[in-house]
Amino acid sequence: KAGVTQTPRYLIKTRGQQVTLSCSPISGHRSVSWYQQTPGQGLQFLFEYFSETQRNKGNFPGRFSGRQFSNSRSEMNVSTLELGDSALYLCASSSGGVGSPLHFGNGTRLTVT
Amino acid sequence: GQQLNQSPQSMFIQEGEDVSMNCTSSSIFNTWLWYKQDPGEGPVLLIALYKAGELTSNGRLTAQFGITRKDSFLNISASIPSDVGIYFCAGRSGGTSYGKLTFGQGTILTVHP
């Protein structure tokens, strides 16, 4: 069974630009969650989508947004990039049920210059 | 917000030694998860715990869900060089948290042959 796939693996953007990251969940999984990982703040929850609806949201500014498609694939968008947005962005999928464990992809490394 | 205190921050051990790390919180969690992350990769699920007092093993790994629901520990027995990596605990607080996990800061494990 294929794991969680994230594309691209690496991105370099300039401050002020916007970026879109993509995540394909494990086949059959309906929930996709996004996390930001930085050396200073660790792993922080951004948002979760289930059946194309945002089900949970973390404490990030509105510049961070996401969506989920009918095939459960998800995209995350960051607008007006800031230097502090440089991070590893991780996507995790699960069946979506109560208590179901999250399985992570290998992430997209975003560098903002 | 919720915080998980994970300790120790780092460990340097000899191959063959046993390892113990733990996470504590001021809040109650309904699910505890333990992950391992290797450089350049996403976290990989090691063990999931769902009931207070639960003790679960996965090969040389053993984890327990604390009775108070505010802590968990992970033990690794007879460490080997491939155990090197960063170990994270993660908690899920309520029935509607689903994909929203709170992560500890991580324990960096180094194993000397």
Side-chain angles (χ1 to χ4, degrees), chain A residues 11-111:
Chain A
L11 265 179
I12 300 175
K13 290 287 188 178
T14 303
R15 192 171 48 185
Q17 288 184 318
Q18 74 164 15
V19 68
T20 299
L21 313 182
S22 180
C23 173
S24 293
I26 292 171
S27 177
H29 282 188
R30 297 168 62 192
S31 167
V32 173
S33 300
W34 289 89
Y35 286 80
Q36 181 195 66
Q37 186 175 28
T38 59
Q41 299 298 317
L43 279 146
Q44 293 190 292
F45 173 76
L46 282 153
F47 32 65
E48 178 200 6
Y49 285 86
F50 179 79
S51 292
E52 301 178 65
T53 301
Q54 189 179 85
R55 183 159 71 170
N56 275 298
K57 189 178 189 306
N59 298 319
F60 279 80
R63 299 186 298 108
F64 293 81
S65 63
R67 60 178 176 167
Q68 187 179 34
F69 302 95
S70 58
N71 62 358
S72 294
R73 191 178 69 85
S74 176
E75 288 182 346
M76 186 191 116
N77 185 273
V78 188
S79 62
T80 320
L81 284 165
E82 300 176 359
L83 296 179
D85 296 334
S86 295
L88 180 66
Y89 289 88
L90 292 160
C91 164
S93 77
S94 75
S95 64
V98 173
S100 56
L102 271 60
H103 300 273
F104 285 84
N106 285 330
T108 294
R109 171 73 62 185
L110 173 64
T111 302

